[in-house]
Amino acid sequence: MTGTPLGSEFSAGTSSAGRLKPDTLLTAFGTVNHRLHHQRRAAIGTFFSKRAMTDVEPLIHANVKTLCDTIRRQQERDGHVELRVNFLAMTTDTIANHSLNGSNPQNTISLLENEERAAEWKRTIAALAMLTPIVKQATWLIPVALKVPVAIWMMTIPSLGRIVRLNRDMHRSAQSYIDQTIHDSKKTESTIESIAEYHNIFRTILQSSLPPQEKTPERLGQEGFVSIAAGGETCGRMLTNAIYYIIANKDRVMPSLAHELAAVMPNPDVQPELQALEQLPYLTGVIRETLRLSAILTSRLPLVAPDRTLRYKDSVIPPGHPVSMSLRDILHDPSIFRDPLAFRPERWLRSNPDYELVNRFYVPFSRGTRMCIGINHRFSWEKKADIVFSLGGDSIAYAQLYIVLACVLRRFEVSDFDVVYERDIKAARDCFIGEPSLESLGVRVKMEPVLAGQTRLAG
């Protein structure tokens, strides 16, 4: 991908022949070289897969409980809840606790327990987004910024200072984890087994087949940084948008959604199993339609065939030339999605005559080996009278979308407080992901607690 917060695949000096310069990024996200990207992605791929759900599902439920407590407190105190800060705190805490389990990061996370820290983290992510268009052109900016003392940035540009501070915290955590691993490897086998309980992204990389130069503190720290910054923001944004779309279409969406959730959660305080939620067709449709309509990736995603000539219709693309497309144009294409700007979860039900077509072109986070590692998709083909295309999610991100939406919508009656689509939801700025207007006040809604025994989701 290009336009990452830490640099670009293509430097500003890329030649007209599309020649790539050597990789300078240390993460799988943004690695240009295909072979190196494959190795780095394979090393961390299983860490974000559904196989990790055994450990992550209880963590999500624990964070959802804290989230719900925070929502109740804010609703009673302020008369409304700002969704972006709260959902970002929830998803960031989840991915951070999963990624850094046992590595002792120095007070960079635990956002759900501290509203001030959560608001500061939102400002940090906003600063990261605003830097992205600049960094795409000035790829030297972040490497230089990382060499400047944090104190100087905090006095001059606090938002950049928070980014640099988090990056350094991740580096220190990685170095500490490596040192601890080396120390413990000299102890008894039982001690090593106890250390193995702490499965995190650092350990995943250290135990992979990557060569030693791919296991440095710098690289481990960068992977930790990107997993937290990218994994929390995209999922938190989708939760926010989903609630907005549900409220905006309450008369059409609420009845079907309420019926499904009440069947799985007869009592609002029940902890639903992920597997049960994944079987709910309308909830699944809400999630897919949110991802499609949000089309959160606004930047084009250039790829290169270094030694192969590509042909598209009458066009010939020589080796080494970057080719890109806008996923947003596909997801909003009226020839694929009827009434493309309308929120219609039912388009993902098997009763939809266009079911196969819409699934074939469902690319909210691209496809192939370069697609977002945090939101993997599972594709399966069934042969009956015709080929049926079905889609499911195999990731921590999908697990959060299912569980958080189910619990929040079952435990609260949601309604609008002060949300303006053009100001607070619509993508107005291309910062790799679409950002709302600078005039946005956040996504503020009312969330009244549902009493035990209630089954209705109010509008």
Side-chain angles (χ1 to χ4, degrees):
M1 292 184 180
T2 187
T4 70
L6 298 179
S8 173
E9 284 186 342
F10 303 95
S11 72
T14 300
S15 71
S16 60
R19 191 180 304 278
L20 298 177
K21 293 191 176 182
D23 281 296
T24 56
L25 292 182
L26 299 177
T27 65
F29 179 62
T31 300
V32 175
N33 182 274
H34 175 72
R35 184 184 297 273
L36 180 58
H37 172 266
H38 178 76
Q39 293 173 339
R40 288 177 171 178
R41 184 182 175 101
I44 62 174
T46 57
F47 188 71
F48 293 101
S49 73
K50 196 168 185 177
R51 281 183 286 180
M53 289 302 99
T54 301
D55 296 329
V56 177
E57 190 170 346
L59 172 62
I60 295 175
H61 278 295
N63 284 343
V64 166
K65 183 180 183 302
T66 304
L67 170 68
C68 291
D69 290 342
T70 300
I71 289 174
R72 292 187 186 96
R73 182 174 65 251
Q74 292 177 354
Q75 177 63 42
E76 183 177 353
R77 182 189 67 206
D78 305 325
H80 69 273
V81 176
E82 204 289 287
L83 294 181
R84 283 200 65 181
V85 170
N86 286 295
F87 283 148
L88 177 62
M90 157 74 205
T91 54
T92 301
D93 273 0
T94 299
I95 193 65
N97 290 343
H98 177 60
S99 297
L100 305 176
N101 180 24
S103 60
N104 298 319
Q106 300 178 4
N107 298 322
T108 56
I109 320 297
S110 300
L111 305 179
L112 281 171
E113 299 175 358
N114 189 314
E115 291 186 33
E116 182 178 344
R117 188 182 298 162
E120 180 183 275
W121 178 252
K122 181 178 179 292
R123 291 191 292 270
T124 300
I125 292 297
L128 203 58
M130 293 188 68
L131 275 175
T132 299
I134 301 173
V135 172
K136 288 173 69 175
Q137 307 303 321
T139 57
W140 50 267
L141 180 60
I142 293 296
V144 170
L146 292 175
K147 296 179 181 180
V148 177
V150 174
I152 293 179
W153 288 126
M154 295 304 293
M155 289 187 295
T156 56
I157 311 177
S159 58
L160 183 56
R162 287 189 287 268
I163 297 171
V164 173
R165 183 175 62 194
L166 175 63
N167 188 282
R168 292 184 180 172
D169 285 344
M170 292 301 100
H171 179 272
R172 282 194 292 268
S173 294
Q175 182 66 69
S176 175
Y177 189 82
I178 291 173
D179 293 343
Q180 187 66 39
T181 300
I182 294 174
H183 177 266
D184 290 335
S185 67
K186 301 176 182 179
K187 293 186 177 182
T188 65
E189 185 175 345
S190 60
T191 302
I192 295 175
E193 289 296 325
S194 66
I195 292 298
E197 291 178 3
Y198 298 105
H199 187 70
N200 56 46
I201 195 168
F202 299 153
R203 174 179 169 231
T204 299
I205 296 173
L206 290 175
Q207 293 187 340
S208 73
S209 59
L210 288 171
Q213 64 268 26
E214 288 291 308
K215 300 178 179 179
T216 63
E218 293 80 9
R219 214 188 78 70
L220 269 64
Q222 289 282 26
E223 290 284 15
F225 177 92
V226 170
S227 69
I228 293 172
E233 165 63 2
T234 51
C235 191
R237 181 76 65 83
M238 289 304 95
L239 287 168
T240 299
N241 287 4
I243 296 295
Y244 166 77
Y245 289 131
I246 291 169
I247 294 174
N249 299 274
K250 57 186 177 182
D251 293 338
R252 183 166 45 84
V253 173
M254 286 290 194
S256 297
L257 196 53
H259 178 75
E260 283 193 345
L261 294 180
V264 176
M265 303 174 65
N267 185 303
D269 293 328
V270 168
Q271 287 190 359
E273 293 185 0
L274 175 60
Q275 187 175 8
L277 295 176
E278 290 177 326
Q279 304 306 311
L280 302 180
Y282 202 81
L283 175 60
T284 298
V286 166
I287 292 172
R288 294 183 188 177
E289 186 69 347
T290 298
L291 290 170
R292 182 200 68 81
L293 190 54
S294 298
I296 192 170
L297 296 183
T298 49
S299 291
R300 288 173 293 179
L301 307 178
L303 297 174
V304 172
D307 52 10
R308 202 155 48 104
T309 298
L310 302 179
R311 288 177 171 79
Y312 175 72
K313 296 183 178 179
D314 297 330
S315 301
V316 177
I317 305 170
H321 279 67
V323 179
S324 61
M325 66 178 179
S326 297
L327 300 178
R328 194 177 189 85
D329 291 341
I330 299 174
L331 295 167
H332 293 173
D333 188 339
S335 68
I336 302 169
F337 302 97
R338 299 181 186 183
D339 199 4
L341 299 184
F343 184 73
R344 300 192 182 283
E346 59 271 14
R347 76 172 84 239
W348 303 104
L349 303 180
R350 290 181 179 273
S351 57
N352 178 15
D354 296 329
Y355 181 75
E356 178 184 341
L357 176 66
V358 297
N359 274 291
R360 190 182 298 275
F361 290 95
Y362 182 66
V363 288
F365 287 90
S366 191
R367 281 200 188 158
T369 59
R370 294 276 178 168
M371 74 176 295
C372 176
I373 196 169
I375 300 191
N376 296 314
H377 296 308
R378 173 180 69 251
F379 301 98
S380 63
W381 298 85
E382 298 177 23
K383 288 192 175 181
K384 295 183 180 177
D386 296 304
I387 292 179
V388 177
F389 190 87
S390 63
L391 175 73
D394 273 352
S395 69
I396 295 171
Y398 267 107
Q400 291 187 89
L401 290 173
Y402 274 104
I403 294 174
V404 176
L405 284 177
C407 291
V408 167
L409 290 170
R410 186 65 187 90
R411 295 170 186 173
F412 298 93
E413 295 182 350
V414 295
S415 59
D416 183 25
F417 177 78
D418 179 22
V419 184
V420 179
Y421 173 77
E422 290 76 12
R423 181 192 67 192
D424 304 319
I425 301 294
K426 184 179 180 180
R429 297 175 290 137
D430 177 13
C431 300
F432 186 68
I433 64 174
E435 289 289 334
S437 168
L438 289 173
E439 297 179 356
S440 176
L441 302 176
V443 180
R444 299 183 294 175
V445 302
K446 295 179 181 179
M447 303 187 74
E448 297 290 348
V450 173
L451 299 177
Q454 277 187 264
T455 59
R456 181 177 63 89
L457 292 177

